[in-house]
Amino acid sequence: MEHITDELTRHLAALLTVDDEKLSGLIDKTVETSVREVWMPNAENFFSRVGGPYLNVLWRDLLDLAEDHPTATTFAKLKKGEKAAKLEALFADEAVRSALSLTEKQAARIDVWLPECFD
């Protein structure tokens, strides 16, 4: 039964969009898991669907950067698709995290981050 529940959760999570707050909560209650355990934001399912300014703020917040920090200003100059790809790599690629010298606190924040609509 657990395998069926896990499979159902994966399929439902694949259907989630930014506006599916109620479905997200239902999944959490039904299978006693968090959305982040079965869904990770990536370029296709989230980052390409929000605006560039939102991505700029997210990048700065996740990395604890001031708006005028060179890493933040360089990111802000990228095209939206490039920003989405960099954020996807930040969430999924250990080599990127290592290259950015993330602190444990930053890594932990990224590991549990969800868009506001899931809160």
Side-chain angles (χ1 to χ4, degrees):
M1 181 68 173
E2 183 176 332
H3 173 69
I4 293 170
T5 301
D6 291 345
E7 194 65 25
L8 176 60
T9 301
R10 275 194 287 282
H11 288 294
L12 288 172
L15 297 174
L16 289 177
T17 65
V18 176
D19 297 325
D20 287 327
E21 186 174 345
K22 289 180 183 177
L23 179 57
S24 167
L26 178 62
I27 290 171
D28 286 352
K29 289 177 185 175
T30 303
V31 298
E32 298 177 5
T33 188
S34 72
V35 171
R36 194 56 160 67
E37 290 178 29
V38 295
W39 178 84
M40 182 182 305
N42 61 39
E44 182 180 348
N45 70 18
F46 184 73
F47 300 127
S48 65
R49 298 172 187 254
V50 296
Y54 178 93
L55 298 177
N56 295 342
V57 171
L58 178 59
W59 180 261
R60 289 193 317 262
D61 287 350
L62 292 173
L63 299 178
D64 297 319
L65 300 172
E67 193 169 348
D68 62 349
H69 188 282
T71 302
T73 58
T74 299
F75 182 86
K77 292 176 185 175
L78 298 174
K79 294 180 180 178
K80 184 177 171 187
E82 294 169 321
K83 291 176 186 182
K86 285 185 81 68
L87 278 161
E88 180 174 321
L90 179 65
F91 277 76
D93 189 337
E94 287 299 322
V96 169
R97 290 178 175 212
S98 179
L100 290 169
S101 301
L102 294 186
T103 65
E104 287 182 28
K105 182 180 175 185
Q106 290 167 323
R109 185 177 324 136
I110 292 165
D111 289 341
V112 298
W113 182 87
L114 286 169
E116 293 81 13
C117 64
F118 288 111
D119 292 338

